[in-house]
Amino acid sequence: MQFEELKNLKSGTDVRGVAVAGGLPVNLTDEAVQLIVNAFVKWLSLKCGKDKFRIAIGNDSRISAQRIVAAAKSALLSCGCDVVYTGLSSTPSMFILLKSGWDVDASIMVTASHMPYDRNGLKFFTPEGGLDGKDVEEILRLAADGERLHGKGIYEEKSFMDEYSQILVNTVESACGKLPLKGKKIIVDAGNGAGGFFAEKVLKPLGADTEGSQFLEPDGYFPNHIPNPEDKVAIASISSAVIKEKADLGIIFDTDVDRAACVDKSGGEINRNALIALVSAILLKDKAGTIVTDSVTSDGLTEFIESLGGKHFRYKRGYKNVIDKCKELNESGEYSPLAIETSGHAAFKENYYLDDGAYLITKILISLALQAKEGKDLTSLISSLKRPVEESEVRITFNERSVDFKKEGALVIEDLKVIAKNDKNMVLSPVNHEGVRINLKADKGGWMLIRMSVHDPVMPINIESNYHGGNMYAAKTLLKILEGYPFLELKNLKNFTL
């Protein structure tokens, strides 16, 4: 396969593609998987200076998982690697096993996160963490060149999920004692992904009543709803379940459990800004520090973090971007305990900067138990968070007149910065790490952020306002400006203003 074919499978820091026939053409073929896995072993060899490895491989519940695992297993064994197949696993567990005394040099997770059932992919870990985009691109170049080692490895099967679950249980018990959730009803929605273990192997040993948990059984067709904490249907489902079961807390995971969100006992979602605020309150109570988030967080969140003595560093979207910035701050001497995206990716300094949805929930469970001892609800920690009246996202694209969408998108962003500086109704945000963030002076105010998608010819527009009709005002204001760019496809924005 040519490099350009393989490069089409790169998705940020992962490899992802179509793995099931019937819709789009399958490009995550057995050949592609084997070339990439061979190249990963070669990359490890170049990095470590040795040519014999023991590598773990696991998967989530996708219907193509066994085919992809079989192809990867064949490639690893033919490279001389010993292989440990961990079966149904969460993505974070595939890194934690590298830190837990297992005699393993690296690991591979077969997952495509929350993407549709016909997709799948590969995520690579070394003991230093997940690979970054440059590493993945280097591996794809090696794959295109056919670079590989040769040998004969040994295969075995051994699950890590019981051990991983016990680590989470120990984390809660060390902070709260035995059975800290006794008397609490906490239900889980795993969306038929890999997160069903959490109810049986984490919550029950902590004393929680998990009756009413739903969609715990792995099913790669995801028949009930998309396993995505940002999906409105998914959130509505767990909210309804919490109310029906009179639960104290609802928990929802994405397919591979690297993201999570919550629902309080009234069915109200603790997600996005509210989730960030809750975890910030938990961490900043112990020590002041900097919370790193993505670019679309609200001004109310900034005020909330600052009211707790913390600092809010709003950075670029992309979980690896916020994690890398958090690491950078800590390395420079500025304490930063958390990197978190509004999507639910949350990485704690204390947990190897790993975005782990299950670990995120354990921190919330600790707080739930401690708050209960004081006769308080979990949501009391974020009662002062100012929430926007309206929040919207509109995605515009580039039409047939577009020649170079990256340059054209950059031009639009730079022009908007100039316009905002000279418009009496706008205030340009003093810090723009991604795109352009413009505060609006109309009535009670609000803001809009226009940025480029990391990979695609798309410009997402996020808008928040503190009054009804504010988002419409912002959208109409922006539409008048953007109509001057013939290479933009503004249909979605126009429809929003109707």
Side-chain angles (χ1 to χ4, degrees):
M1 295 179 71
Q2 299 297 311
F3 174 66
E4 289 305 318
E5 291 179 86
L6 291 165
K7 191 176 180 182
N8 288 334
L9 295 170
K10 182 177 179 292
S11 177
T13 58
D14 300 353
V15 168
R16 289 185 186 173
V18 179
V20 177
L24 295 172
V26 172
N27 58 359
L28 193 64
T29 60
D30 288 359
E31 179 191 7
V33 171
Q34 290 176 332
L35 283 171
I36 293 167
V37 170
N38 284 338
F40 173 57
V41 177
K42 179 65 176 181
W43 178 86
L44 280 175
S45 179
L46 294 171
K47 181 175 182 286
C48 303
K50 64 177 189 175
D51 57 11
K52 180 66 177 178
F53 300 97
R54 183 174 163 85
I55 296 179
I57 182 168
N59 56 269
D60 65 22
S61 61
R62 293 175 177 278
I63 62 171
S64 57
Q66 293 308 309
R67 177 180 71 81
I68 305 297
V69 167
K73 168 190 166 185
S74 174
L76 290 169
L77 292 173
S78 70
C79 288
C81 295
D82 293 338
V83 178
V84 183
Y85 175 51
T86 61
L88 185 70
S89 304
S90 73
T91 292
S93 75
M94 295 305 295
F95 171 72
I96 293 297
L97 69 81
L98 298 176
K99 296 290 189 179
S100 299
W102 276 39
D103 180 22
V104 176
D105 298 291
S107 62
I108 301 172
M109 177 66 179
V110 177
T111 182
S113 188
H114 63 280
M115 295 184 78
Y117 80 93
D118 64 338
R119 312 301 168 89
N120 217 327
L122 303 167
K123 189 172 183 68
F124 303 98
F125 292 103
T126 69
E128 288 73 45
L131 272 56
D132 61 28
K134 290 190 300 181
D135 296 328
V136 172
E137 186 160 337
E138 186 179 344
I139 288 167
L140 295 178
R141 288 191 182 279
L142 291 171
D145 293 339
E147 293 282 352
R148 58 166 300 169
L149 303 181
H150 293 273
K152 186 177 181 180
I154 299 171
Y155 175 78
E156 69 173 293
E157 297 182 1
K158 181 182 178 184
S159 175
F160 179 66
M161 291 307 293
D162 285 349
E163 189 175 335
Y164 172 71
S165 298
Q166 191 59 49
I167 291 170
L168 299 175
V169 170
N170 292 345
T171 299
V172 178
E173 287 183 340
S174 66
C176 306
K178 295 289 184 180
L179 301 176
L181 302 180
K182 190 174 183 179
K184 294 290 184 184
K185 186 162 193 174
I186 302 175
I187 61 175
V188 174
D189 184 329
N192 302 112
F197 75 94
F198 200 84
E200 188 70 28
K201 296 183 178 181
V202 179
L203 290 175
K204 283 188 177 180
L206 292 170
D209 174 3
T210 63
E211 187 71 28
S213 292
Q214 58 186 18
F215 317 139
L216 304 184
E217 305 80 13
D219 186 334
Y221 284 105
F222 312 127
N224 294 290
H225 61 68
I226 297 170
N228 181 357
E230 285 193 289
D231 182 71
K232 291 181 179 179
V233 174
I235 285 292
S237 180
I238 183 64
S239 295
S240 296
V242 166
I243 294 170
K244 176 184 175 183
E245 299 293 332
K246 296 182 173 58
D248 295 288
L249 186 72
I251 299 163
I252 184 166
F253 294 114
D254 73 342
T255 318
D256 61 327
V257 202
D258 61 0
R259 294 189 296 133
C262 298
V263 171
D264 65 29
K265 65 181 182 180
S266 69
E269 65 177 285
I270 305 175
N271 207 358
R272 298 180 64 81
N273 289 293
L275 181 65
I276 298 172
L278 177 60
V279 185
S280 297
I282 292 168
L283 294 173
L284 296 175
K285 188 176 181 181
D286 296 329
K287 182 178 179 180
T290 299
I291 306 298
V292 182
T293 75
D294 58 355
S295 59
V296 300
T297 46
S298 70
D299 292 336
L301 177 64
T302 301
E303 291 179 24
F304 179 80
I305 290 172
E306 290 175 349
S307 74
L308 299 174
K311 179 181 175 183
H312 183 194
F313 195 117
R314 190 183 283 123
Y315 198 52
K316 300 174 185 177
R317 290 216 84 181
Y319 73 93
K320 199 73 167 67
N321 289 327
V322 295
I323 290 172
D324 288 346
K325 176 54 68 175
C326 184
K327 287 181 179 178
E328 179 187 316
L329 292 175
N330 281 298
E331 288 166 1
S332 70
E334 180 176 348
Y335 175 64
S336 177
L338 176 69
I340 183 167
E341 271 202 308
T342 48
S343 65
H345 280 287
F348 295 80
K349 178 179 184 291
E350 68 188 46
N351 191 44
Y352 310 105
Y353 299 103
L354 174 67
D355 52 316
D356 183 344
Y359 189 84
L360 165 66
I361 295 301
T362 64
K363 297 294 288 187
I364 292 173
L365 293 177
I366 290 168
S367 185
L368 174 71
L370 295 178
Q371 287 289 104
K373 286 182 179 179
E374 298 178 9
K376 298 178 182 178
D377 290 331
L378 188 65
T379 51
S380 66
L381 291 171
I382 55 173
S383 59
S384 64
L385 174 67
K386 294 179 182 177
R387 308 187 189 224
V389 173
E390 297 179 338
E391 51 184 325
S392 309
E393 181 175 285
V394 182
R395 299 167 76 85
I396 61 174
T397 57
F398 293 76
N399 58 34
E400 67 279 356
R401 298 187 188 182
S402 174
V403 177
D404 185 335
F405 73 87
K406 290 185 178 180
K407 285 186 178 179
E408 291 157 351
L411 171 66
V412 171
I413 288 168
E414 291 306 312
D415 285 354
L416 284 169
K417 290 178 181 179
V418 174
I419 291 168
K421 284 182 180 178
N422 295 298
D423 191 313
K424 63 181 181 180
N425 293 316
M426 298 181 181
V427 178
L428 179 66
S429 175
V431 179
N432 284 281
H433 289 293
E434 180 177 41
V436 54
R437 188 181 179 108
I438 299 171
N439 296 319
L440 301 171
K441 293 182 178 179
D443 286 354
K444 297 178 183 179
W447 56 266
M448 54 186 177
L449 172 71
I450 304 92
R451 59 188 174 86
M452 278 298 300
S453 170
V454 177
H455 306 292
D456 304 317
V458 175
M459 296 190 78
I461 302 166
N462 292 88
I463 311 172
E464 284 191 6
S465 65
N466 299 322
Y467 67 100
H468 292 292
N471 282 12
M472 180 66 74
Y473 167 79
K476 287 182 176 179
T477 299
L478 185 59
L479 178 60
K480 288 180 182 178
I481 298 170
L482 298 184
E483 284 176 331
Y485 297 90
F487 49 78
L488 291 177
E489 173 52 66
L490 301 173
K491 179 181 177 181
N492 290 344
L493 186 58
K494 288 177 180 178
N495 287 342
F496 182 84
T497 62
L498 295 177

